[in-house]
Amino acid sequence: MGKVTGFLEIDRREAKYQPASDRIRHFREFTLPLPDAEVANQASRCMDCGVPFCHGPNGCPIHNQIPDWNDLVYHGNWEEAARNLHSTNNFPEFTGRICPAPCEEACTLNLEDVPVAIKTVEQAIADRAWKAGWIKPEPAAHKTGRKVAVVGSGPAGMAAAQQLARAGHDVHVYEREPKAGGLLRYGIPDFKMEKHYIDRRVAQMEGEGVTFHYGVNVGVTTPLDELLEGHDAVLMCGGSESPRDPALPGQELLGVHYAMPYLVQQNRRVGHEDVSREEPILAAGKHVVVIGGGDTASDCVGTAFRQGALSVHQLDIRPVPPLKEDKLAVWPYWPTKFRTSSSQAEGAEREFAAATLGIEGKKGHVTSVKCARVDAKRQPIPGTEFLIKADLVFIALGFVHPLREGMLEKEGLALDKRGNVGATDLDYATSVPKLFAAGDMRRGQSLVVWAIREGRQAAQSIDTFLMGSSVLPR
């Protein structure tokens, strides 16, 4: 695969970013793509390593055939590379932008800290395919006469809907929001992925026969039973939206918010949706504290800087991770090591081993966050308390399960011990006949690439349920 000696001759190179001083002035993407010739060079570094862990269970949840399309790009066959990539991934332009790339951690060359730039090549293939006009609607040649409802148009719902439509089913997607995309549109900032990429996929899917219904909150404004009665199968892909509540003293103060309302509001603002009825959450001229160390917290950091925050502190209860992992102990698994996101690199002050004890305020408004250092068991150490000035605080500690209100209240619907919809990844069937579940609503908070995998596999299971067998890939 690739050039046999490519990894010896060519250094790893990734796409660069606009300088932080420039990119914080706008909400657009700021990655500077590599020229196609350099992308081909990077693809040539993918060697015939014997066992390609990159597309095994440790590397790529959707089993992208990474060595194959790297080889095709190296040899200049971009169109075939695009076909190969789309055979396993419905939306490579999404994952090429926002996936954390566990495939690169699993790359054999990562043993020497110079993995193949897989994510860069993937995005380049997808973007070139769109630019060249290779991506078009693929309507089914024959219709089955079966009708399927997909609830939620996030990555799981979109992937499932596209697969089911291509199998010949009449697919209807029911979305609570005014536009499709779910977390992709309303949770992930535009500076990480602009939303016109979603819009053109929706247009492609509509060309394949998928019907989108917006402003429909299934289980709230529209009964789930109504969908079950009117469709041959229903797939729930509502995501995991209930935030983890730290129950901090002072959490009720003005200026304290969960992360998602903040990110959603700003995404609506950037997308020219009406936010006039909402209380503005803006960081301009304020000292911001973000509680949490994950991707959502990082997105709050980048958004706050773009809104004009005076300072941003990020609190992480975990200790400072090692700068470099022990390869022989953890490879090819995802390692715990010190990472700096593009948003954090824009000027965030990061506090590790810091527990949040409470939020303090005056006249009903937050003024500071009280913290303390923690021991190895993440317990506060007496005498280490300190205060961080804050005018605005965001709680970004992840999500615990799907929203209780609505679909989860369906009689007879079994939940697992974490509060997610009970269904296995063998058939994605719930305890209610004709009702299936996939994505974060089933597996819990996870990555976009896992959502795409679940949507594809659920589509294959539903197709088998309806037709007795399926030609859809699993």
Side-chain angles (χ1 to χ4, degrees), residues 300-353:
C300 289
V301 170
T303 300
F305 278 129
R306 282 159 181 77
Q307 289 183 345
L310 293 178
S311 67
V312 180
H313 282 77
Q314 185 177 359
L315 305 178
D316 195 331
I317 198 170
R318 298 170 297 183
V320 180
L323 292 177
K324 184 177 179 181
E325 74 274 26
D326 181 350
K327 301 289 186 183
L328 296 182
V330 299
W331 181 87
Y333 297 97
W334 182 263
T336 297
K337 63 181 178 181
F338 190 85
R339 304 172 191 270
T340 301
S341 72
S342 60
S343 293
Q344 291 164 341
E346 290 163 1
E349 294 290 335
R350 302 168 70 183
E351 295 281 353
F352 289 94

Side-chain angles (χ1 to χ4, degrees), residues 151 174 213-228 231 406-407:
V151 183
Y174 296 88
H213 305 267
Y214 299 112
V216 181
N217 194 348
V218 176
V220 178
T221 61
T222 300
L224 179 58
D225 285 339
E226 185 177 307
L227 263 62
L228 288 167
H231 299 79
M407 290 186 292

Side-chain angles (χ1 to χ4, degrees), residues 428-451:
Y428 294 87
T430 72
S431 56
V432 176
K434 298 201 307 182
L435 186 61
F436 298 77
D440 289 4
M441 178 167 265
R442 187 202 72 84
R443 69 175 282 115
Q445 174 188 343
S446 191
L447 302 175
V448 168
V449 68
W450 273 103

Side-chain angles (χ1 to χ4, degrees), residues 61-62 87-91 148-167 169 171 173 205 234-239 424-429 436-444 446-464 470 472-474:
I62 49 179
S87 71
T88 57
N89 186 353
N90 295 69
F91 315 119
V148 182
V150 177
V151 183
S153 64
M158 286 183 66
Q162 184 166 62
Q163 294 295 95
L164 287 164
R166 290 176 176 178
H169 303 303
V171 181
V173 178
M205 292 170 65
V234 176
L235 173 63
M236 299 191 298
C237 298
T424 72
D425 60 1
L426 296 177
D427 59 11
Y428 294 87
F436 298 77
D440 289 4
M441 178 167 265
R442 187 202 72 84
R443 69 175 282 115
S446 191
L447 302 175
V448 168
V449 68
W450 273 103
I452 294 173
R453 169 192 168 125
E454 296 236 334
R456 287 172 62 89
Q457 292 190 342
Q460 194 264 0
S461 295
I462 292 171
D463 190 36
T464 301
S470 178
L472 292 175
R474 185 173 161 79

